[in-house]
Amino acid sequence: MSKSKLSYGVYNGKALKEFLENSGILFLTVFFSIGILVGSLVCKTDSSVYSDIQHIIGDYLEIRNEQGIADNLFTSLCINLTFNLSCIFLAFSLIGYPFLLWIPFIRGLGIGMLSGLLYSLYRFTGLGYCVLTVYPAAAVYAIVLILSCNDSCIYSKNAYAKALRGRGQFERDETKIFLTRQFIYILVCAVSSVIDAFSNALFSGLFEI
């Protein structure tokens, strides 16, 4: 074992420690992916749950295709902001961390159910609809949501650790940085809603969904 490798922390545990400390984004991405997988698998079952999902998503798509750009923009923004504001709210809770892990999963679950249902009903037509009208905005927002959730997890864990040591839970400078970053995420969230509204307006008419 060479001395150079030891000095760079390959064998002395530093690399593993750094990975664990910076693996929040990875874990949240995994949760998001599992949500997509579970959502798509639910739509492959012939159960009452599938019928309910088909009814709900069918109504959603009908309203989405009938609305104008402004209405779809508002609807998309409200849905996205619900997730972002949930991240911020849970960040200020000492026990918010375990609940934050479920936010990407729930978002992924919705995308998975929509994709799975459209594919099961329309095959490649449904897949094409998702690729052109759903996935562009969903990909942008997924990145934003995972980053927002990761920051919230870090903030909540730090507050919990400080509370255990008898220190103040939320420091002013840390809170200022956290809220600034969350504000930036919300701005990008608005951009993803714009992409969603315009992609739907441009491409939804190409498909008989």
Side-chain angles (χ1 to χ4, degrees):
M1 189 181 298
S2 66
K3 184 178 179 180
S4 60
K5 289 185 177 181
L6 277 174
S7 63
Y8 281 106
V10 176
Y11 298 112
N12 62 6
K14 288 184 179 179
L16 178 60
K17 182 179 179 181
E18 289 179 2
F19 172 77
L20 293 174
E21 289 176 348
N22 298 286
S23 57
I25 292 177
L26 175 62
F27 287 141
L28 293 171
T29 302
V30 170
F31 272 88
F32 176 75
S33 302
I34 292 174
I36 293 177
L37 179 62
V38 172
S40 62
L41 291 177
V42 167
C43 293
K44 292 184 178 180
T45 61
D46 296 326
S47 62
S48 59
V49 176
Y50 173 78
S51 299
D52 293 337
I53 293 173
Q54 183 176 357
H55 179 72
I56 293 171
I57 293 181
D59 290 343
Y60 166 74
L61 291 175
E62 183 178 355
I63 295 173
R64 176 181 168 90
N65 292 333
E66 291 177 353
Q67 286 181 338
I69 292 178
D71 290 332
N72 279 327
L73 173 61
F74 178 76
T75 301
S76 176
L77 188 59
C78 287
I79 294 173
N80 290 344
L81 282 176
T82 299
F83 285 95
N84 280 87
L85 294 177
S86 297
C87 287
I88 296 173
F89 174 78
L90 290 172
F92 285 97
S93 170
L94 295 179
I95 58 172
Y97 176 70
F99 298 99
L100 283 163
L101 297 176
W102 288 99
I103 291 180
F105 175 84
I106 294 172
R107 181 67 176 186
L109 188 69
I111 295 174
M113 288 192 294
L114 176 60
S115 302
L117 177 65
L118 289 177
Y119 182 76
S120 66
L121 293 176
Y122 305 103
R123 297 302 174 184
F124 289 104
T125 300
L127 180 61
Y129 179 88
C130 289
V131 168
L132 292 178
T133 69
V134 177
Y135 294 158
V140 174
Y141 185 69
I143 296 172
V144 172
L145 181 62
I146 289 171
L147 292 175
S148 174
C149 198
N150 183 60
D151 282 2
S152 295
C153 286
I154 294 172
Y155 189 82
S156 178
K157 287 194 296 184
N158 288 344
Y160 181 77
K162 292 172 186 175
L164 290 180
R165 294 195 298 266
R167 297 173 55 190
Q169 296 174 10
F170 307 107
E171 296 182 1
R172 183 175 179 180
D173 291 341
E174 185 180 6
T175 301
K176 183 178 180 180
I177 295 173
F178 169 75
L179 292 178
T180 300
R181 291 171 65 92
Q182 292 294 334
F183 178 72
I184 295 173
Y185 296 144
I186 288 175
L187 292 180
V188 182
C189 157
V191 172
S192 73
S193 295
V194 172
I195 295 173
D196 182 52
F198 276 91
S199 60
N200 182 73
L202 290 172
F203 301 116
S204 62
L206 301 176
F207 305 92
E208 294 182 1
I209 298 295

